[in-house]
Amino acid sequence: MRNFPKNEYGIITRELLQLINITPSDGGWYTCLRRQDYNTENFTTYLKVIGNEMSAVSAVKQTEILIPPKFTKLSSMHKGILKRNGNMMELKCESEGNPLPYIIWYKDRVAPLRRQSGGNITYTQWAIILNNLTTEDSGNYTCKVVNEKGIIFFTYKVEVKEHSLPMLYIKDVIPHDHTALLHSYVAFECQVKSDLEPYYIEWLYHNIGFKNVNDANLDDGITIQTSYTGYKGNSIGMELLKLINVTHLNEGWYTCVTVFGLKNINYKSVYLKVIDTLGGPKYNDFEFKVYYLIAPGISFVLIILVYVIIIVCCQKEKIELLELVAKQSDRNEMITQWTKKIIIEKLQITDDSESLVS
């Protein structure tokens, strides 16, 4: 706690703090604490110092008319808030007006705010932040924004639920194992399902020397992108990894890692392959040389083989034809011999018949 000597800053009593001859370094938050036995209550206000002039939060802009307070982001202020125990919560009531309004927070119509769990409450100019929520933090939180021209209210209905196991896991990384053209654009989206916040997202790269990504080599990856979520709501694109003008050096494993605390770690990997054209993968010069040397040899061998097959088939047909001709010749010769034999025997029988008649 900072002490304020009388001769420098003014007079301090138990209920009033007066600041004299303030400078820009005195700007900031001032909290009044009241301790009684084991209970502590506090109220916080903000002091803003403008230029060479003194100006508290409620200072009037002399060049403008007086304006009652109004909320500047009412469309983003949702009345119903559902949280899980262990998460953090930030409630905002950003406002404007002239004089610049100040804000008072109530829980269930009681101020100042107190947490039964004993946790801390962080105050900013227009918001409160509660970390490590418990079910006792459920209730109606009301911001009362005040200046001399008016008062406005807004109430958040907060419900903090318990859960047996924290839910934080990676649903998917899309696209899955992907093939991309050289110098093209690639984007991987890590789809995270979580009721825990804040959690931490990290993208790791493992080169083509790794066959896969597992628990043993996860830490060997190179961190290429990190982000947080939960403190200010989900930032657009924080779970998206963009690769522009990819080259063959970008080929490898890309792993989305989510972290909450020290033990809740999840990861999922996809593989990116980079090719020169849509026709297929890139071949190096050695592969092309081997191809051009082997291809003519294979073609020559195939031609010779076909030629030999044709010759063998023709030779076989020729042999079969010669054998057929030879068999036909032998048959004709046998028929001729039998014919001659029959004629000779017939002539002999005729001669014998004539001799008998004589």
Side-chain angles (χ1 to χ4, degrees):
M1 177 182 294
R2 183 176 179 181
N3 295 318
F4 299 98
K6 292 181 180 180
N7 59 359
E8 180 181 359
Y9 288 96
I11 302 172
I12 303 174
T13 69
R14 292 176 57 87
E15 301 173 356
L16 178 66
L17 170 65
Q18 295 179 340
L19 303 179
I20 301 174
N21 296 325
I22 63 173
T23 65
S25 62
D26 295 307
W29 292 98
Y30 290 82
T31 302
C32 174
L33 297 177
R34 185 179 70 86
R35 294 188 177 94
Q36 182 176 4
D37 297 330
Y38 295 101
N39 297 323
T40 301
E41 295 182 351
N42 64 81
F43 180 81
T44 301
T45 188
Y46 186 82
L47 173 66
K48 182 178 181 181
V49 180
I50 302 176
N52 295 324
E53 300 178 358
M54 297 182 296
S55 175
V57 170
S58 59
V60 179
K61 299 178 181 178
Q62 299 295 337
T63 59
E64 299 179 7
I65 62 174
L66 299 181
I67 301 174
K70 68 174 182 179
F71 296 116
T72 58
K73 297 182 178 179
L74 187 60
S75 61
S76 62
M77 297 165 63
H78 304 292
K79 291 185 177 181
I81 305 292
L82 177 62
K83 292 290 184 177
R84 298 283 184 178
N85 61 335
N87 286 2
M88 63 83 64
M89 176 176 67
E90 181 178 25
L91 303 178
K92 294 182 178 180
C93 288
E94 296 186 34
S95 307
E96 63 182 5
N98 188 33
L100 188 64
Y102 63 91
I103 187 170
I104 303 174
W105 287 94
Y106 300 84
K107 180 188 177 185
D108 299 327
R109 300 183 178 182
V110 176
L113 301 182
R114 287 181 295 180
R115 300 182 66 183
Q116 295 181 11
S117 62
N120 293 328
I121 302 174
T122 302
Y123 291 86
T124 65
Q125 185 173 4
W126 302 114
I128 56 172
I129 301 173
L130 286 74
N131 291 296
N132 299 319
L133 292 173
T134 66
T135 55
E136 288 80 7
D137 292 313
S138 299
N140 295 322
Y141 290 78
T142 301
C143 61
K144 176 182 177 181
V145 182
V146 183
N147 72 2
E148 64 183 66
K149 292 295 292 182
I151 301 173
I152 55 176
F153 298 87
F154 188 88
T155 299
Y156 291 96
K157 185 176 181 180
V158 176
E159 182 178 2
V160 181
K161 290 187 174 182
E162 292 185 350
H163 51 82
S164 56
L165 292 174
M167 183 177 67
L168 174 63
Y169 68 93
I170 299 174
K171 183 179 179 181
D172 204 357
V173 176
I174 55 175
H176 300 146
D177 293 350
H178 184 61
T179 300
L181 282 173
L182 188 66
H183 304 304
S184 64
Y185 166 83
V186 177
F188 291 110
E189 181 183 356
C190 186
Q191 299 179 344
V192 179
K193 184 70 174 178
S194 174
D195 60 1
L196 299 175
E197 55 183 39
Y199 61 87
Y200 171 79
I201 299 177
E202 182 179 37
W203 284 94
L204 301 179
Y205 168 73
H206 293 72
N207 60 35
I208 58 177
F210 293 86
K211 293 183 179 180
N212 54 38
V213 178
N214 51 47
D215 293 343
N217 60 25
L218 180 64
D219 292 337
D220 296 331
I222 300 173
T223 301
I224 56 178
Q225 182 173 303
T226 59
S227 57
Y228 290 88
T229 182
Y231 291 106
K232 300 294 183 181
N234 292 328
S235 300
I236 298 175
M238 67 162 41
E239 298 166 8
L240 191 67
L241 175 66
K242 298 178 181 179
L243 303 176
I244 301 174
N245 193 25
V246 296
T247 67
H248 292 287
L249 295 176
N250 296 114
E251 185 167 330
W253 295 94
Y254 290 85
T255 304
C256 176
V257 183
T258 59
V259 181
F260 179 82
L262 298 176
K263 296 182 179 180
N264 199 324
I265 300 176
N266 298 272
Y267 64 91
K268 197 163 189 176
S269 302
V270 293
Y271 190 84
L272 174 65
K273 186 173 184 62
V274 180
I275 59 175
D276 291 330
T277 63
L278 289 175
K282 178 180 180 293
Y283 295 98
N284 56 40
D285 293 339
F286 176 76
E287 290 174 332
F288 273 115
K289 289 179 181 178
V290 171
Y291 173 78
Y292 283 118
L293 288 174
I294 294 178
I298 294 175
S299 301
F300 179 75
V301 171
L302 290 176
I303 293 172
I304 296 298
L305 183 61
V306 172
Y307 181 73
V308 170
I309 291 173
I310 293 174
I311 292 177
V312 170
C313 291
C314 292
Q315 197 71 18
K316 184 177 180 181
E317 290 180 358
K318 185 177 181 179
I319 292 173
E320 290 177 351
L321 181 61
L322 291 175
E323 290 178 352
L324 181 61
V325 171
K327 289 180 180 179
Q328 188 66 33
S329 298
D330 293 341
R331 182 179 179 184
N332 292 338
E333 185 177 354
M334 184 179 294
I335 292 173
T336 302
Q337 290 178 356
W338 278 100
T339 302
K340 289 181 179 180
K341 184 176 180 180
I342 291 172
I343 293 173
I344 292 172
E345 289 181 351
K346 185 176 181 182
L347 290 173
Q348 290 179 352
I349 292 173
T350 304
D351 292 339
D352 291 340
S353 299
E354 290 178 354
S355 299
L356 291 173
V357 171
S358 302

